[in-house]
Amino acid sequence: MKFFIDTANLAQIQEAHDLGILDGVTTNPSLMAKEGIRGEEAIMKHYETICEMVKGDVSAEVIATDFDGIIAEGKKLAALHPRIVVKVPMIKDGVKAIKWFTENKIKTNCTLVFSAGQAILAAKAGATYVSPFIGRIDDGGWDGVELIAQIANIYNIQGFKTEILAASIRSPLHIIKCAEVGADVCTCPLDSILGLLKHPLTDIGLAKFLEDAKKTR
Ligand code: G3P
């Protein structure tokens, strides 16, 4: 399973990259706004900076919701860097646009996916990635990981090539569960990635080893 970081914060991207386990980055308009990035020029520059920092795919989301607007915006984003993936919402014109991008060899990430039916449509349109938002599903009292498992099963049976990118990750347990049920990618906040490191027995064990090591020096 690939690890993407779900942020537009450059320091956090750098920290995950320095850990040596980062395979890509996802952003969205809310994450860009959180970093105070304003204006088209600044937004484009920010995506370029992220692409220079990491080796993997970088998802950049369109704002347009009509077919022509999505295509125009997506073309501009894709022209920024070969590793830009155009993030398109799961709406009717979005599906049409994903099909167009697929035919024109532009990679896509179909976002705001909350059902297996939406995931089937994204795959039929040829999306490179499909992004089910598992944390937001859990927030509503359903089971986000169950949706990942259902989509993985359908894609496997049908031979769809679209990669399942589990998004809206809220905890290290989400990452583990997504790995168990066959997500291809998990896009995570830095805290959830770092949370995977933690175990009290590791800390206790290390303290004891370091203490005993003093007896050998
Ligand atoms: O990038 C999309 C997704 O990961 C958003 O997560 O935490 O806003 O539900 P969240």
Side-chain angles (χ1 to χ4, degrees):
M1 187 174 75
K2 285 181 268 188
F3 270 44
F4 287 4
I5 188 165
D6 194 28
T7 186
N9 181 286
L10 299 182
Q12 291 186 12
I13 293 169
Q14 192 62 52
E15 190 173 339
H17 175 263
D18 290 348
L19 202 54
I21 49 84
L22 191 64
D23 300 302
V25 179
T26 53
T27 62
N28 63 41
S30 306
L31 295 171
M32 294 293 273
K34 198 171 157 194
E35 297 310 312
I37 319 291
R38 301 252 182 287
E40 193 181 337
E41 202 180 317
I43 290 171
M44 294 296 181
K45 180 82 202 72
H46 202 73
Y47 288 139
E48 282 178 320
T49 305
I50 295 173
C51 288
E52 282 155 19
M53 290 171 74
V54 298
K55 292 273 174 281
D57 285 347
V58 175
S59 287
E61 189 158 341
V62 298
I63 308 302
T65 53
D66 64 295
F67 177 78
D68 291 338
I70 295 172
I71 299 299
E73 218 182 309
K75 277 198 229 169
K76 263 195 215 170
L77 289 168
L80 281 177
H81 197 281
R83 281 187 279 99
I84 285 279
V85 175
V86 180
K87 207 170 176 187
V88 181
M90 170 39 75
I91 52 175
K92 209 185 214 180
D93 280 27
V95 172
K96 276 169 65 181
I98 289 169
K99 180 74 180 168
W100 188 93
F101 287 129
T102 305
E103 284 168 357
N104 287 277
K105 307 212 172 331
I106 291 174
K107 290 206 261 185
T108 52
N109 175 355
C110 183
T111 191
L112 290 166
V113 166
F114 294 91
S115 75
Q118 292 177 326
I120 290 171
L121 274 181
K124 284 294 290 176
T128 315
Y129 299 103
V130 65
S131 287
F133 278 25
I134 72 166
R136 293 191 197 183
I137 290 171
D138 288 3
D139 291 344
W142 296 282
D143 186 340
V145 172
E146 222 166 66
L147 177 62
I148 300 293
Q150 188 185 17
I151 297 170
N153 188 36
I154 292 169
Y155 281 14
N156 191 29
I157 289 168
Q158 298 296 332
F160 288 134
K161 298 281 175 277
T162 298
E163 290 189 51
I164 303 168
L165 192 164
S168 186
I169 296 287
R170 300 275 159 78
S171 66
L173 185 60
H174 263 160
I175 302 175
I176 296 162
K177 291 282 175 195
C178 284
E180 271 182 346
V181 300
D184 299 290
V185 189
C186 240
T187 189
C188 324
L190 182 62
D191 282 356
S192 299
I193 298 174
L194 296 180
L196 292 172
L197 283 167
K198 291 183 197 154
H199 198 289
L201 290 179
T202 303
D203 299 338
I204 293 166
L206 182 62
K208 175 78 175 131
F209 283 155
L210 292 178
E211 194 188 309
D212 289 344
K214 284 183 203 154
K215 299 172 195 162
T216 67
R217 295 289 187 278

